[in-house]
Amino acid sequence: MNTTVHTIDLWFCKPSLITDASLLSRYHHLLNAEEAEKVARLKFEKHRKDALITRVFIREILAKYTGMPATSLEFGKGEKGKPYLSNIHRPIFFNLSHTQDLIICGVTPFADIGVDVENLQRNDENIIEIADRYFSPTEVAALQKLPANQKKSRFFDYWTLKESFIKVVGLGLSFPLDKFSFSIGSQPTRLWNPNITLSVDEERLENGDEYTSWIFYPSTVHRIALTIENKQQLEKSAFSLRFFETIPGKWTNEVNLLTDGIV
């Protein structure tokens, strides 16, 4: 019997917690010349700070998995534009997403991964209009059936799931959002939902059943979706989900998002 457990790690960072000027100054020394130039080109200080933290965040996380110094990591881009580590021997799959005051990174050694985080306080009042334009007819119908006070939450369930899927597939918005559908089952706890089913237009993708997704509710204002490529079509009980909150260069805490949240 195969008892292998496949570990997926989800990392969190909240930039608003990082206010130490000396720590931010040390962050600059971890960037390569190209990264430093991109950060410096940003017009607003807040955007420069967030970009700096994001780049250091991903470097420090991946350094933990590779055993290499954060400054030694070299990044490349695949043929579909997805970043990867170009100077390691064993692959590490990772994906990054950020929204207002929350950066996340999913990491796993065994399969391609896509993550998305959204802030529910975005001013998207016309969610039905947006859904009509981008979602599948099945998703729009399911959304329309909900009470008014549940529509916005479910809209972001669908949106984050769709973003995580197109990121793991690596096709971006060239893969039309209305050509695949998510069905969302009952939520076992207030903090996560593993009961997600994906169906894909076979003309677009033949192996739609080779992906597995989760939704997470880390706070009252954030929604996270995670999708992995699951070619073995493993049951969700075969996966181990771990969650870490960090301030790069200062501290890291493992948290139990499934019971405690991160706020």
Side-chain angles (χ1 to χ4, degrees):
M1 179 181 295
N2 183 4
T3 58
T4 300
V5 176
H6 297 76
T7 301
I8 304 169
D9 291 342
L10 196 58
W11 289 77
F12 303 85
C13 178
K14 290 179 273 190
S16 63
L17 297 179
I18 305 175
T19 58
D20 185 337
S22 63
L23 182 62
L24 289 167
S25 178
R26 293 203 302 273
Y27 285 175
H28 284 280
H29 299 293
L30 296 176
L31 305 188
N32 62 30
E34 181 182 0
E35 291 171 330
E37 182 182 355
K38 287 181 178 179
V39 169
R41 283 205 304 262
L42 296 172
K43 182 177 181 180
F44 298 105
E45 181 181 356
K46 180 184 184 305
H47 294 165
R48 291 195 297 272
K49 177 188 173 186
D50 287 352
L52 172 65
I53 293 170
T54 299
R55 293 178 184 278
V56 173
F57 172 66
I58 188 64
R59 281 189 170 274
E60 288 231 332
I61 289 171
L62 295 178
K64 297 178 187 294
Y65 293 89
T66 62
M68 298 171 61
T71 52
S72 298
L73 298 174
E74 297 178 4
F75 295 87
K77 286 190 176 181
E79 59 182 32
K80 297 175 183 176
K82 197 168 185 178
Y84 68 95
L85 286 176
S86 60
N87 62 334
I88 61 172
H89 299 295
R90 290 186 300 173
I92 294 290
F93 301 95
F94 64 94
N95 195 233
L96 188 74
S97 182
H98 57 85
T99 188
Q100 183 177 344
D101 199 34
L102 188 61
I103 312 167
I104 66 168
C105 181
V107 185
T108 180
F110 68 89
D112 214 340
I113 186 170
V115 296
D116 187 58
V117 58
E118 298 290 342
N119 189 310
L120 277 65
Q121 295 178 322
R122 282 171 37 185
N123 188 25
D124 286 329
E125 296 181 358
N126 300 319
I127 59 172
I128 298 300
E129 181 179 327
I130 296 170
D132 282 338
R133 182 176 179 183
Y134 292 108
F135 290 2
S136 72
T138 301
E139 292 165 335
V140 173
L143 191 63
Q144 291 279 23
K145 291 178 182 178
L146 292 173
N149 63 351
Q150 296 179 24
K151 282 184 167 63
K152 186 173 184 179
S153 179
R154 182 50 52 89
F155 170 86
F156 280 102
D157 286 344
Y158 286 133
W159 189 266
T160 52
L161 283 167
K162 284 178 171 290
E163 287 283 346
S164 71
F165 174 71
I166 62 175
K167 289 174 79 173
V168 74
V169 172
L171 297 177
L173 291 177
S174 66
F175 196 118
L177 296 180
D178 62 350
K179 297 301 182 182
F180 60 98
S181 299
F182 282 99
S183 175
I184 301 172
S186 60
Q187 183 177 328
T189 77
R190 67 182 181 85
L191 292 168
W192 79 310
N193 191 345
N195 297 321
I196 312 298
T197 304
L198 169 67
S199 59
V200 184
D201 186 333
E202 292 185 359
E203 292 183 359
R204 294 284 176 175
L205 189 70
E206 294 181 355
N207 57 342
D209 58 349
E210 294 183 355
Y211 297 88
T212 299
S213 300
W214 294 260
I215 304 174
F216 303 102
Y217 307 84
S219 72
T220 57
V221 298
H222 291 111
R223 185 67 37 83
I224 295 170
L226 166 81
T227 298
I228 62 162
E229 188 175 43
N230 182 9
K231 290 184 177 180
Q232 296 174 269
Q233 300 184 31
L234 300 170
E235 297 293 331
K236 291 198 173 180
S237 58
F239 299 101
S240 172
L241 298 168
R242 301 190 302 179
F243 308 91
F244 300 91
E245 186 177 9
T246 187
I247 288 181
K250 195 169 184 181
W251 54 258
T252 294
N253 293 329
E254 184 170 1
V255 296
N256 190 344
L257 179 66
L258 308 187
T259 60
D260 302 326
I262 65 166
V263 293

